[in-house]
Amino acid sequence: IDLKKGFPIVTGKQIFFDKAFHESVWIMEGGTTTKYLNQHQINWWDSYANDRGELGKVYGYQLRAFNGTEDQLMMAIKEIKANSRRAHITMWNPSDLKEQALPCCYTGITFVRIGNELNMSIDFRSSDIMLGLPYDIIFGALLLHDVADFCELNVGKLKMNLNNAHIYVNNVI
């Protein structure tokens, strides 16, 4: 997806951009409870949370506090600014799987800087084409835009590698 041509939003179904935006903010800020999500009328995580709204070591934790210490987003930004090929984030942490309400569907994010342009690739272990993927595209585009802006680079292409793409029976007409 070439982000230089515009911001990608799937138009074959109704998309609630404000919910996608706030879920992205929640992840990028390291959120692990439903409190912020519910304040923005995002309820799809509620069924996975415990009675206190806790989701465990999900996306936000892995991004901002991997193994309790590593802010992977800031590490990736540092690598991008150094023009390094090591700007990679991993959301898949086997030691934390038992402490996650739902294992992360996208497992790796790699940034590739070419001159003043930043590209990004996201690897998915699982992708719900009808429900999740349209929002994952928005998340990826927002993340790439934010990181490129922070690094004072131009956005390039967003690549998504779907290893297990599926459509659930209740989404078939």
Side-chain angles (χ1 to χ4, degrees), residues 11 19 57 65 69 83 90 106 145 157 164:
T11 58
K19 290 184 180 192
K57 297 178 178 180
T69 61
N83 206 14
T90 182
Y106 39 93
H145 269 282
K157 293 181 179 150
N164 182 340

Side-chain angles (χ1 to χ4, degrees), residues 145-166:
H145 269 282
D146 285 350
V147 173
D149 286 348
F150 192 84
C151 295
E152 299 179 348
L153 298 170
N154 298 315
V155 295
K157 293 181 179 150
L158 170 62
K159 176 187 168 194
M160 304 180 104
N161 179 33
L162 312 178
N163 291 300
N164 182 340
H166 50 271

